Amino acid sequence: MKIISSKYTYINGEYKKDVAVAFNTKIVKIAPLNDLQAKFPNAQLIKYPNNSVLYPGFINPHVHLEFSANKATLKYGNFMSWLYSVIENRNTLVSNLSEDLIKEKCNEMLKSGVTTFGAISSFGAELEVCANLKQRVIFFNEVIGSNPAAIDTLFADFKNRLNESIELKSETLIPAIAIHSPYSVHPFLIREVLNIAKSQKLITTAHFLESQAEREWLESSSGDFLEFFKNFSNTTQAVTTIEEFLNAFKNIPTLFTHTVQVKESEIETINKNGHSTIHCPRSNRLLGCGRAPIEYIDRVLLGTDGLSSNYSLNILEEMRSALNMHFQADLNKLAPRLIEAVTTTASNALNLKIGKIEPEYWADFAIFTLPDDLKYEEKGSLALHTIINCESADSVYIGGEELRIKS
Ligand code: BEZ
Ligand code: FE2
């Protein structure tokens, strides 16, 4: 048994003073330090210095490790130009991927306090590395393809990749499902893949309403995607509509990534059906997609997206960008919401025993230290100062084990 004690402990959205946490691989008890030491006299005490904040390990539910080799290769500023550049450079970027590069990027996440991330995988190339990491990985096997002639092959390939990840399933490797997007996946494939998600109770995600071009294409088979699909697959008709797509997910609470170009009625459906949004502010900014209306969305998580549309995988940087992007929001309400996004909200959406400091939950922690005394302990200030003053975690624990943060 170990006991961890810090100045503040983040529990249920509040910063508790004068409590400590007893844990093995899982959290056992939360109580004042004296009480815990009386109850567990042989426990090892880990005491963090003044101004330390103990958080549950942060969750970054959306990253494309496959594109970790990108720095200045892809075209930014406009979604469609970016997509053309991805298609043109995809093979080169993937071939420049190495095990060391993936590990370096996972370590960058870890340094920012991320103990669990969601890896969107279209090829499965990073499965082995992810299976051997100390971090928890929700391994999202992605299905993509709108061409009806290719459906059988694509579905078979998807099932193979899914099964490979299921074979490696562990406490730190969680097999899951990603549907690329409404414009790029045939409704038949969506239906089949969602049947698997439902029967095997797999966490499900999908990119949804990222760009204006996507919206126009789904609404009226027009806009910038018309030219794209004429060239790409000789089609002039979208394979689905926004309504049809949302309907397919009616009984499967899903993590929709982006939801930038959503209308009020769609937000209502998302909220009503228990879906969540993974908000990726830097990716949205860099691809010229706009600002997600997170103030109307009930459940908001925060993701970095991949290095194909970002310049770092640091989740604190993502929070700082969100603070600036949503400049009309009350700062002292938005900051706590962003901390919730990477902890409690993510925990609830994923339905895993992570993201909360609560008995029975995994002892996954991220400890940060503020640079000096917080003078005004008003609502929101601790969340805000963690976001704006902390560059990296002091220490990170996963399953009760302290991990060395390599710099
Ligand atoms: C498609 O199969 O429709 C597709 C694949 C990749 C990007 C865009 C569309
Ligand atoms: Fe993405």
Side-chain angles (χ1 to χ4, degrees), residues 83 87 90 144-147 180 183-185 225 228-229 232:
L83 184 58
I87 291 170
R90 188 167 44 193
I144 184 165
S146 61
N147 181 356
H180 179 257
Y183 61 83
S184 61
V185 188
F225 262 118
F228 174 90
F229 276 108
F232 184 75

Side-chain angles (χ1 to χ4, degrees), residues 62-64 82 120 142 180 207 210 257-258 280 283 304-306 308-309:
H62 191 94
V63 54
H64 301 260
W82 171 81
I120 312 293
E142 186 172 67
H180 179 257
H207 294 104
E210 177 174 10
T257 303
H258 302 309
C280 304
S283 170
T304 55
D305 215 336
S308 32
S309 58

Side-chain angles (χ1 to χ4, degrees), residues 6 22 59 63 99 110 130 146 181 184 210-211 226 239 251 272 297 318 329 331 337 346 356 360-361:
S6 49
I59 299 164
V63 54
E99 197 175 317
L110 189 70
C130 288
S146 61
S181 79
S184 61
E210 177 174 10
S211 64
L226 181 57
V239 285
N251 301 311
K272 191 180 73 199
I297 302 172
E318 204 64 49
L331 192 63
R337 199 162 184 235
K356 292 182 187 176
E360 310 281 309
Y361 276 63

Side-chain angles (χ1 to χ4, degrees), residues 55-60 107-116 135 313-316 342-343 364-368 391-398 405:
Y55 284 103
F58 292 162
I59 299 164
N60 173 11
N107 195 55
E108 186 189 4
M109 286 193 265
L110 189 70
K111 272 197 329 202
S112 70
V114 169
T115 54
T116 299
Q135 272 156 305
L313 299 182
N314 181 327
I315 200 79
L316 295 157
V342 300
T343 57
D364 293 1
F365 306 123
I367 297 105
F368 292 90
E391 202 36 61
S392 102
D394 292 359
S395 195
V396 172
Y397 287 73
I398 296 176
I405 299 177

Side-chain angles (χ1 to χ4, degrees), residues 13 23 29 58 65 121 150 152 171 177-178 220 283 315 330 363 407:
F23 64 96
K29 195 170 171 63
F58 292 162
L65 289 174
S121 173
D152 290 344
E171 301 292 7
I177 280 178
S220 51
S283 170
I315 200 79
D330 178 337
S407 51

Side-chain angles (χ1 to χ4, degrees), residues 56-254:
F58 292 162
I59 299 164
N60 173 11
H62 191 94
V63 54
H64 301 260
L65 289 174
E66 284 165 334
F67 292 112
S68 293
N70 179 56
K71 282 198 170 79
T73 299
L74 300 177
K75 226 185 224 184
Y76 287 169
N78 172 277
F79 180 79
M80 228 50 227
S81 310
W82 171 81
L83 184 58
Y84 281 112
S85 77
V86 171
I87 291 170
E88 195 176 330
N89 296 286
R90 188 167 44 193
N91 291 343
T92 317
L93 287 173
V94 171
S95 66
N96 288 341
L97 195 65
S98 68
E99 197 175 317
D100 283 349
L101 183 62
I102 297 176
K103 285 185 182 159
E104 180 192 318
K105 300 308 172 188
C106 294
N107 195 55
E108 186 189 4
M109 286 193 265
L110 189 70
K111 272 197 329 202
S112 70
V114 169
T115 54
T116 299
F117 62 83
I120 312 293
S121 173
S122 22
F123 308 108
E126 73 288 51
L127 176 63
E128 282 281 321
V129 184
C130 288
N132 290 311
L133 285 177
K134 298 269 177 154
Q135 272 156 305
R136 287 182 214 284
V137 185
I138 300 154
F139 197 81
F140 286 111
N141 297 282
E142 186 172 67
V143 66
I144 184 165
S146 61
N147 181 356
I151 286 175
D152 290 344
T153 319
L154 294 169
F155 189 41
D157 172 65
F158 163 81
K159 283 191 287 190
N160 278 339
R161 285 183 286 120
L162 175 64
N163 286 336
E164 279 170 23
S165 68
I166 288 173
E167 273 169 33
L168 294 175
K169 183 178 171 177
S170 70
E171 301 292 7
T172 58
L173 196 282
I174 301 126
I177 280 178
I179 285 159
H180 179 257
S181 79
Y183 61 83
S184 61
V185 188
H186 195 278
F188 174 83
L189 266 179
I190 296 181
R191 194 186 65 209
E192 293 302 309
V193 166
L194 286 182
N195 281 340
I196 295 177
K198 222 186 287 180
S199 67
Q200 302 197 27
K201 297 192 169 53
L202 299 172
I203 300 168
T204 305
T205 193
H207 294 104
F208 185 44
L209 293 176
E210 177 174 10
S211 64
Q212 185 56 32
E214 175 180 343
R215 176 149 209 117
E216 270 179 73
W217 176 246
L218 297 174
E219 271 184 338
S220 51
S221 297
S222 64
D224 291 345
F225 262 118
L226 181 57
E227 192 60 29
F228 174 90
F229 276 108
K230 267 192 204 158
N231 294 329
F232 184 75
S233 52
N234 200 23
T235 49
T236 55
Q237 274 288 298
V239 285
T240 192
T241 65
I242 293 171
E243 205 181 341
E244 248 174 39
F245 186 75
L246 271 176
N247 240 329
F249 292 85
K250 208 162 152 188
N251 301 311
I252 304 177
T254 296

